Amino acid sequence: MGSYIENGSSLVDTYRLISTMYQIGQWWQENKISVADEHLVTATCDYIIARLQFTVNKEKLPSKRALLFCVEGEEHYIGLKMLASLLEKYKWEVGNLGANLPLSYAINSIEKRRPEVVGISISQVHLLPSLKQYINEIESLTYSSTALVGGEVIATL
């Protein structure tokens, strides 16, 4: 993998490789692989993304801000890391707050950082009521951010 990164592959090319996480998730749901196998692939993807973040040129001042997080109870954060790397490549200032962020902390961070875009990740159907609360709270703020929602549960709707 190191040579793949060092030989000039783009972030987009690498994320095409990482998109296999959807297939891994499907295999896990079908009991074709174990949760340990899924965790190994996730850790490998996490490593790849971390390596890539060092290759992003951050010399120019960022032009826009994004704030990314998972709703409380959501632990699937790899998609957020991929999005963060892509936004940084295009000179966005990114705050990636990661997995399992309680609503009050999300709102406080939005008010403090004032991002143009708020990215929310959700992969579990039972968390949809929480997502609705997050969106309602974001929409009620005096500061206007564009909320984007992604994750496996959105792909299945």
Side-chain angles (χ1 to χ4, degrees), residues 65-138:
R65 288 179 309 278
L67 190 65
L68 312 175
F69 55 84
C70 297
V71 298
E72 187 169 12
E74 180 61 63
E75 297 293 337
H76 297 89
Y77 62 90
I78 292 293
L80 287 179
K81 286 188 81 167
M82 289 188 280
L83 178 58
S85 290
L86 286 172
L87 290 172
E88 287 173 348
K89 177 180 174 56
Y90 292 100
K91 308 303 178 211
W92 283 64
E93 178 184 328
V94 179
N96 184 354
L97 304 179
N100 194 26
L101 188 69
L103 177 58
S104 62
Y105 291 99
I107 297 303
N108 181 276
S109 295
I110 293 167
E111 289 175 328
K112 181 179 176 182
R113 297 171 187 245
R114 303 178 72 81
E116 282 81 8
V117 172
V118 175
I120 305 170
S121 182
I122 181 171
S123 68
Q124 302 173 69
V125 173
H126 74 275
L127 294 174
L128 285 172
S130 294
L131 174 65
K132 184 174 181 178
Q133 289 178 317
Y134 281 68
I135 297 297
N136 288 341
E137 289 287 326
I138 291 168

Side-chain angles (χ1 to χ4, degrees), residues 53-62 88-89 91:
Q53 287 176 323
F54 287 106
T55 67
V56 174
N57 182 354
K58 299 179 184 180
E59 289 178 16
K60 293 183 182 176
L61 293 176
E88 287 173 348
K89 177 180 174 56
K91 308 303 178 211

Side-chain angles (χ1 to χ4, degrees), residues 9 15 19 23 33 38 48 63 69 71 111 121 133 157:
S9 63
Y15 291 141
S19 70
Q23 183 64 53
I33 63 171
E38 184 273 333
I48 292 166
S63 60
F69 55 84
V71 298
E111 289 175 328
S121 182
Q133 289 178 317
L157 294 178

